[in-house]
Amino acid sequence: MRTSLRQAPAGARDTFLDVVRATAILAVIGQHWLMPVLSYDHGRLATGNALTTPGWWALTWLSQVMPMVFFAGGAANLMSLRRAASTRDWLSTRLKRLLVPVLPLFAVWLLAPDLLRDLGAPEQPVQIAGAIAGQLLWFLAVYLITVVATPLMLAAHRRWGLRVPLVLTGLAVIVDFGRFEVFGPLGYANAVFVWLAVHQLGFSYAEGRLGTLSRRGAAALAVAGFGVTALAVTFGPYPASMIGMPGAPVSNMSPPTAVLMSLAVGQAGFWLALKPTLATLAERPAVAAVLRWSGPRFMSMYLWHMPALVVVAGVAVLGFGYATPEPGSADWFAVAPLWVGAAAVVLAGLLKAFGRFETRPSPAGAVPAGQLAAAAVLASAGLLGLAAKGFTTPLEAGMLAGPVPWVALVVTGLLLAAKPVRVAVRG
């Protein structure tokens, strides 16, 4: 019997997307908490990655969930835009909803490095902590651009359908060729092409063919996507791991490569094949309660899970001399639940303190479209600067060498998104 996977009616919440997003954020958090291999000696923190363990790269084909984050984000953006009073109102609300939660993160991390130094923390671990707190802001920087592009990309979707992500994927392949053969930094163009293509697949779920696939069709899509990924890894220049590995000459994530698009197709097919099961699971009271609580806090959970890790690592590794056991060993598996549990307790406290910034209602504003685009560009530039430079100002460097200029760009973008700027013109 053919099982239809039709999307939720207009105006209704799509529990499938809720489950995908909740699972994705939990996967991001769990992976980031379990990856570090840490030890401390004579004022220096040594860091490694548990996923370099032989064979563990295979886990990244499912645990690298950023493709599903952008896929679910594309579907959710289309659905919420359909319900909005106007495109400008929607853009203003979305930008504020994404940017307001970073304000408390900025407030904490503009002070934290100096506070850690005053408490006697050595400089090298302080530098690492500030870098970790900022590096994941790359996602928000790119996602802002996809949000601002949503109205235009939706119009393209309604005119050309799946040809749009196909063209974007073709451009990503061309960029990869240029990156590997001509000029390495050219690869950063794929931060736009790859993630816009995956975001566009979400449109095809919310309003297109992917939303009506049978379970068999979804399974076939998964096989095709993962099959192309396997071919690209086997015969192409792409590494097998879908996250960057220490010392590896090439990363599939920084900058993103076109292979993430085939991975996205495989993952989307995998999740769509599970959709009936997930819909049944989402109806259970306990699961429904978790989805209701986590949905309004996804961005806060993402922003604060690495600071939670910094707190746990600072106390355990620097304070008590803890060193991560050999990944994959019995000791590592025995300690992992305690490590994750401690980080979860700290994250819960941070969410209680700062989650309200995301859950607070954000009224729409009549902001001109050009001003909203400028807001997104400025905020995105500031977030990319923080992702690259971190929150720690080098010793004996001036204020402009630290995070303050990048924070100022993000705050300026938020102010532009919040209310229209009126310019008086004299005749």
Side-chain angles (χ1 to χ4, degrees):
M1 180 180 293
R2 187 180 187 274
T3 304
S4 178
L5 303 179
R6 294 186 181 277
Q7 58 270 57
R13 286 202 65 83
D14 190 314
T15 55
F16 169 71
L17 294 178
D18 290 340
V19 172
V20 168
R21 288 190 291 181
T23 304
I25 191 64
L26 290 176
V28 168
I29 292 172
Q31 180 169 272
H32 287 162
W33 284 352
L34 290 172
M35 278 196 313
V37 178
L38 307 173
S39 61
Y40 180 67
D41 185 48
H42 298 294
R44 293 196 66 81
L45 181 68
T47 61
N49 190 324
L51 288 173
T52 59
T53 302
W56 284 23
W57 59 265
L59 299 174
T60 66
W61 286 36
L62 286 179
S63 68
Q64 172 50 276
V65 292
M66 278 302 163
M68 290 310 296
V69 171
F70 279 92
F71 172 87
N77 284 335
L78 186 152
M79 292 174 182
S80 63
L81 180 55
R82 285 192 307 210
R83 297 192 296 266
S86 71
T87 298
R88 290 193 304 169
D89 286 351
W90 180 81
L91 284 172
S92 176
T93 301
R94 290 295 292 149
L95 292 180
K96 287 183 289 185
R97 178 72 184 274
L98 291 169
L99 290 174
V100 167
V102 304
L103 296 181
L105 186 76
F106 291 169
V108 168
W109 278 99
L110 287 176
L111 301 175
D114 287 336
L115 177 60
L116 291 172
R117 289 169 178 145
D118 291 342
L119 292 174
E123 182 62 20
Q124 187 253 8
V126 171
Q127 293 284 345
I128 292 176
I132 287 174
Q135 66 185 8
L136 295 184
L137 293 174
W138 75 264
F139 160 71
L140 185 54
V142 176
Y143 193 68
L144 283 174
I145 300 303
T146 64
V147 167
V148 171
T150 292
L152 294 176
M153 299 307 292
L154 177 55
H157 164 73
R158 288 175 173 169
R159 182 170 182 179
W160 294 298
L162 287 171
R163 284 174 286 182
V164 178
L166 286 174
V167 169
L168 290 169
T169 302
L171 292 172
V173 171
I174 293 172
V175 167
D176 278 354
F177 178 82
R179 167 189 175 180
F180 293 123
E181 300 294 333
V182 181
F183 183 58
L186 183 63
Y188 286 98
N190 273 346
V192 175
F193 294 142
V194 168
W195 297 125
L196 270 182
V198 180
H199 191 259
Q200 204 77 5
L201 284 182
F203 291 175
S204 292
Y205 166 78
E207 197 175 273
R209 295 181 181 178
L210 293 184
T212 57
L213 277 179
S214 67
R215 177 175 277 187
R216 181 177 296 179
L221 189 69
V223 171
F226 288 128
V228 171
T229 304
L231 291 173
V233 165
T234 302
F235 300 106
Y238 305 106
S241 173
M242 294 300 132
I243 67 167
M245 291 296 185
V250 176
S251 167
N252 281 318
M253 271 297 294
S254 182
T257 63
V259 77
L260 290 177
M261 187 59 187
S262 61
L263 182 73
V265 171
Q267 290 184 352
F270 173 81
W271 284 103
L272 286 168
L274 294 177
K275 184 177 178 181
T277 304
L278 296 177
T280 301
L281 180 66
E283 293 174 356
R284 296 182 178 180
V287 176
V290 170
L291 294 177
R292 285 194 301 270
W293 181 88
S294 61
R297 296 172 176 83
F298 283 144
M299 185 55 63
S300 297
M301 294 168 69
Y302 180 81
L303 292 173
W304 288 102
H305 79 277
M306 290 306 281
L309 177 65
V310 168
V311 172
V312 172
V315 172
V317 180
L318 273 66
F320 293 100
Y322 168 81
T324 307
E326 181 69 22
S329 66
D331 287 344
W332 187 86
F333 281 108
V335 171
L338 299 176
W339 181 263
V340 170
V345 169
V346 175
L347 177 58
L350 292 172
L351 291 176
K352 187 172 182 179
F354 303 119
R356 68 193 71 180
F357 286 84
E358 185 176 3
T359 57
R360 182 180 301 165
S362 179
V367 180
Q371 185 176 320
L372 290 169
V377 170
L378 288 175
S380 181
L383 291 164
L384 285 175
L386 290 168
K389 301 294 185 180
F391 282 98
T392 308
T393 304
L395 287 174
E396 301 180 0
M399 182 180 295
L400 295 180
V404 171
W406 306 112
V407 168
L409 283 177
V410 178
V411 173
T412 301
L414 175 58
L415 293 174
L416 287 175
K419 58 179 61 179
V421 175
R422 303 188 184 280
V423 180
V425 180
R426 296 188 178 186

